[in-house]
mmCIF file of all heavy atoms in Angstrom:
data_model
loop_
_atom_site.group_PDB
_atom_site.id
_atom_site.type_symbol
_atom_site.label_atom_id
_atom_site.label_comp_id
_atom_site.label_asym_id
_atom_site.label_seq_id
_atom_site.Cartn_x
_atom_site.Cartn_y
_atom_site.Cartn_z
ATOM 1 N N SER P 1 7.653 5.031 7.060
ATOM 2 C CA SER P 1 7.363 3.824 7.815
ATOM 3 C C SER P 1 6.497 2.892 6.984
ATOM 4 O O SER P 1 5.930 3.289 5.971
ATOM 5 C CB SER P 1 6.667 4.162 9.139
ATOM 6 O OG SER P 1 5.417 4.784 8.912
ATOM 7 N N SER P 2 6.395 1.644 7.433
ATOM 8 C CA SER P 2 5.589 0.630 6.750
ATOM 9 C C SER P 2 5.888 0.588 5.259
ATOM 10 O O SER P 2 4.982 0.579 4.417
ATOM 11 C CB SER P 2 4.094 0.888 6.992
ATOM 12 O OG SER P 2 3.792 0.882 8.372
ATOM 13 N N LEU P 3 7.156 0.549 4.932
ATOM 14 C CA LEU P 3 7.573 0.626 3.533
ATOM 15 C C LEU P 3 7.120 -0.596 2.744
ATOM 16 O O LEU P 3 7.091 -1.717 3.256
ATOM 17 C CB LEU P 3 9.082 0.787 3.445
ATOM 18 C CG LEU P 3 9.580 2.183 3.812
ATOM 19 C CD1 LEU P 3 11.081 2.178 4.059
ATOM 20 C CD2 LEU P 3 9.236 3.175 2.700
ATOM 21 N N LYS P 4 6.765 -0.352 1.493
ATOM 22 C CA LYS P 4 6.272 -1.369 0.582
ATOM 23 C C LYS P 4 7.190 -1.462 -0.630
ATOM 24 O O LYS P 4 7.889 -0.505 -0.951
ATOM 25 C CB LYS P 4 4.862 -1.013 0.097
ATOM 26 C CG LYS P 4 3.867 -0.669 1.188
ATOM 27 C CD LYS P 4 2.576 -0.163 0.571
ATOM 28 C CE LYS P 4 1.597 0.298 1.613
ATOM 29 N NZ LYS P 4 0.358 0.842 0.994
ATOM 30 N N PRO P 5 7.187 -2.598 -1.335
ATOM 31 C CA PRO P 5 8.002 -2.696 -2.547
ATOM 32 C C PRO P 5 7.720 -1.587 -3.556
ATOM 33 O O PRO P 5 8.646 -1.134 -4.241
ATOM 34 C CB PRO P 5 7.625 -4.071 -3.110
ATOM 35 C CG PRO P 5 7.271 -4.863 -1.908
ATOM 36 C CD PRO P 5 6.570 -3.889 -0.988
ATOM 37 N N GLU P 6 6.480 -1.122 -3.649
ATOM 38 C CA GLU P 6 6.148 -0.063 -4.581
ATOM 39 C C GLU P 6 6.707 1.296 -4.183
ATOM 40 O O GLU P 6 6.605 2.257 -4.951
ATOM 41 C CB GLU P 6 4.629 0.030 -4.793
ATOM 42 C CG GLU P 6 3.840 0.073 -3.504
ATOM 43 C CD GLU P 6 3.293 -1.288 -3.098
ATOM 44 O OE1 GLU P 6 4.064 -2.270 -3.114
ATOM 45 O OE2 GLU P 6 2.094 -1.375 -2.766
ATOM 46 N N ASP P 7 7.296 1.405 -2.990
ATOM 47 C CA ASP P 7 7.986 2.623 -2.592
ATOM 48 C C ASP P 7 9.391 2.702 -3.172
ATOM 49 O O ASP P 7 10.070 3.726 -3.015
ATOM 50 C CB ASP P 7 8.071 2.731 -1.068
ATOM 51 C CG ASP P 7 6.711 2.915 -0.411
ATOM 52 O OD1 ASP P 7 5.879 3.662 -0.955
ATOM 53 O OD2 ASP P 7 6.486 2.306 0.659
ATOM 54 N N THR P 8 9.851 1.644 -3.814
ATOM 55 C CA THR P 8 11.181 1.621 -4.402
ATOM 56 C C THR P 8 11.309 2.699 -5.472
ATOM 57 O O THR P 8 10.533 2.733 -6.431
ATOM 58 C CB THR P 8 11.482 0.249 -5.001
ATOM 59 O OG1 THR P 8 11.493 -0.736 -3.959
ATOM 60 C CG2 THR P 8 12.832 0.243 -5.700
ATOM 61 N N ALA P 9 12.282 3.588 -5.313
ATOM 62 C CA ALA P 9 12.465 4.709 -6.228
ATOM 63 C C ALA P 9 13.692 5.495 -5.796
ATOM 64 O O ALA P 9 14.265 5.258 -4.730
ATOM 65 C CB ALA P 9 11.239 5.624 -6.227
ATOM 66 N N VAL P 10 14.084 6.442 -6.638
ATOM 67 C CA VAL P 10 15.051 7.448 -6.236
ATOM 68 C C VAL P 10 14.277 8.604 -5.622
ATOM 69 O O VAL P 10 13.329 9.110 -6.226
ATOM 70 C CB VAL P 10 15.904 7.938 -7.420
ATOM 71 C CG1 VAL P 10 16.855 9.043 -6.973
ATOM 72 C CG2 VAL P 10 16.682 6.776 -8.020
ATOM 73 N N TYR P 11 14.673 9.017 -4.433
ATOM 74 C CA TYR P 11 14.003 10.082 -3.716
ATOM 75 C C TYR P 11 14.830 11.359 -3.795
ATOM 76 O O TYR P 11 16.036 11.349 -3.540
ATOM 77 C CB TYR P 11 13.777 9.690 -2.255
ATOM 78 C CG TYR P 11 12.657 8.696 -2.087
ATOM 79 C CD1 TYR P 11 12.796 7.388 -2.529
ATOM 80 C CD2 TYR P 11 11.445 9.075 -1.499
ATOM 81 C CE1 TYR P 11 11.758 6.474 -2.398
ATOM 82 C CE2 TYR P 11 10.410 8.171 -1.361
ATOM 83 C CZ TYR P 11 10.571 6.868 -1.813
ATOM 84 O OH TYR P 11 9.541 5.971 -1.672
ATOM 85 N N TYR P 12 14.170 12.457 -4.149
ATOM 86 C CA TYR P 12 14.818 13.744 -4.324
ATOM 87 C C TYR P 12 14.226 14.781 -3.382
ATOM 88 O O TYR P 12 13.015 14.808 -3.176
ATOM 89 C CB TYR P 12 14.616 14.270 -5.749
ATOM 90 C CG TYR P 12 15.185 13.403 -6.842
ATOM 91 C CD1 TYR P 12 14.430 12.391 -7.417
ATOM 92 C CD2 TYR P 12 16.471 13.620 -7.321
ATOM 93 C CE1 TYR P 12 14.936 11.603 -8.437
ATOM 94 C CE2 TYR P 12 16.984 12.838 -8.340
ATOM 95 C CZ TYR P 12 16.208 11.832 -8.898
ATOM 96 O OH TYR P 12 16.717 11.058 -9.912
ATOM 97 N N CYS P 13 15.065 15.646 -2.851
ATOM 98 C CA CYS P 13 14.556 16.831 -2.176
ATOM 99 C C CYS P 13 14.696 18.022 -3.108
ATOM 100 O O CYS P 13 15.540 18.048 -4.003
ATOM 101 C CB CYS P 13 15.258 17.090 -0.838
ATOM 102 S SG CYS P 13 16.988 17.584 -0.942
ATOM 103 N N ALA P 14 13.842 19.009 -2.902
ATOM 104 C CA ALA P 14 13.819 20.178 -3.765
ATOM 105 C C ALA P 14 13.419 21.405 -2.968
ATOM 106 O O ALA P 14 12.728 21.302 -1.953
ATOM 107 C CB ALA P 14 12.842 19.969 -4.929
ATOM 108 N N ALA P 15 13.846 22.563 -3.440
ATOM 109 C CA ALA P 15 13.539 23.831 -2.793
ATOM 110 C C ALA P 15 12.997 24.828 -3.803
ATOM 111 O O ALA P 15 13.509 24.936 -4.919
ATOM 112 C CB ALA P 15 14.780 24.397 -2.111
ATOM 113 N N ARG P 16 11.967 25.543 -3.403
ATOM 114 C CA ARG P 16 11.464 26.664 -4.190
ATOM 115 C C ARG P 16 12.216 27.927 -3.832
ATOM 116 O O ARG P 16 12.932 27.988 -2.830
ATOM 117 C CB ARG P 16 9.974 26.886 -3.937
ATOM 118 C CG ARG P 16 9.066 25.778 -4.377
ATOM 119 C CD ARG P 16 7.639 26.298 -4.486
ATOM 120 N NE ARG P 16 7.480 27.156 -5.651
ATOM 121 C CZ ARG P 16 6.480 28.021 -5.823
ATOM 122 N NH1 ARG P 16 5.551 28.159 -4.888
ATOM 123 N NH2 ARG P 16 6.408 28.738 -6.933
ATOM 124 N N GLN P 17 12.029 28.951 -4.625
ATOM 125 C CA GLN P 17 12.566 30.261 -4.304
ATOM 126 C C GLN P 17 11.600 31.055 -3.438
ATOM 127 O O GLN P 17 11.993 32.064 -2.846
ATOM 128 C CB GLN P 17 12.908 31.026 -5.584
ATOM 129 C CG GLN P 17 14.058 30.401 -6.358
ATOM 130 C CD GLN P 17 14.436 31.180 -7.590
ATOM 131 O OE1 GLN P 17 13.610 31.395 -8.476
ATOM 132 N NE2 GLN P 17 15.682 31.612 -7.643
ATOM 133 N N GLY P 18 10.360 30.615 -3.339
ATOM 134 C CA GLY P 18 9.374 31.254 -2.491
ATOM 135 C C GLY P 18 9.066 30.427 -1.261
ATOM 136 O O GLY P 18 9.518 29.297 -1.114
ATOM 137 N N GLY P 19 8.267 30.987 -0.373
ATOM 138 C CA GLY P 19 7.991 30.348 0.900
ATOM 139 C C GLY P 19 6.815 29.394 0.912
ATOM 140 O O GLY P 19 6.695 28.583 1.835
ATOM 141 N N GLY P 20 5.932 29.471 -0.083
ATOM 142 C CA GLY P 20 4.792 28.586 -0.178
ATOM 143 C C GLY P 20 5.070 27.414 -1.102
ATOM 144 O O GLY P 20 5.662 27.591 -2.161
ATOM 145 N N TYR P 21 4.634 26.204 -0.719
ATOM 146 C CA TYR P 21 4.951 25.039 -1.533
ATOM 147 C C TYR P 21 4.056 24.946 -2.757
ATOM 148 O O TYR P 21 2.984 25.536 -2.830
ATOM 149 C CB TYR P 21 4.874 23.744 -0.712
ATOM 150 C CG TYR P 21 3.526 23.430 -0.099
ATOM 151 C CD1 TYR P 21 2.476 22.960 -0.865
ATOM 152 C CD2 TYR P 21 3.333 23.569 1.266
ATOM 153 C CE1 TYR P 21 1.249 22.652 -0.293
ATOM 154 C CE2 TYR P 21 2.116 23.258 1.849
ATOM 155 C CZ TYR P 21 1.076 22.801 1.065
ATOM 156 O OH TYR P 21 -0.137 22.493 1.640
ATOM 157 N N SER P 22 4.531 24.193 -3.734
ATOM 158 C CA SER P 22 3.810 23.936 -4.968
ATOM 159 C C SER P 22 3.634 22.441 -5.145
ATOM 160 O O SER P 22 4.414 21.643 -4.618
ATOM 161 C CB SER P 22 4.570 24.505 -6.165
ATOM 162 O OG SER P 22 4.000 24.087 -7.385
ATOM 163 N N TYR P 23 2.594 22.046 -5.905
ATOM 164 C CA TYR P 23 2.369 20.642 -6.219
ATOM 165 C C TYR P 23 3.158 20.181 -7.433
ATOM 166 O O TYR P 23 3.162 18.987 -7.735
ATOM 167 C CB TYR P 23 0.883 20.394 -6.488
ATOM 168 C CG TYR P 23 -0.027 20.805 -5.352
ATOM 169 C CD1 TYR P 23 -0.994 21.772 -5.540
ATOM 170 C CD2 TYR P 23 0.082 20.213 -4.097
ATOM 171 C CE1 TYR P 23 -1.835 22.151 -4.504
ATOM 172 C CE2 TYR P 23 -0.748 20.586 -3.059
ATOM 173 C CZ TYR P 23 -1.712 21.557 -3.271
ATOM 174 O OH TYR P 23 -2.549 21.922 -2.241
ATOM 175 N N TYR P 24 3.842 21.084 -8.111
ATOM 176 C CA TYR P 24 4.435 20.794 -9.410
ATOM 177 C C TYR P 24 5.953 20.852 -9.365
ATOM 178 O O TYR P 24 6.539 21.826 -8.888
ATOM 179 C CB TYR P 24 3.902 21.764 -10.461
ATOM 180 C CG TYR P 24 2.397 21.815 -10.475
ATOM 181 C CD1 TYR P 24 1.709 22.895 -9.943
ATOM 182 C CD2 TYR P 24 1.660 20.755 -11.004
ATOM 183 C CE1 TYR P 24 0.323 22.925 -9.935
ATOM 184 C CE2 TYR P 24 0.275 20.783 -10.997
ATOM 185 C CZ TYR P 24 -0.388 21.868 -10.459
ATOM 186 O OH TYR P 24 -1.752 21.895 -10.446
#
């Protein structure tokens, strides 16, 4: 919501093999 011009990008989803998320 409240999208800004600086939000312009290609957005990707990703999945880990484990259940806890990573920052990397």
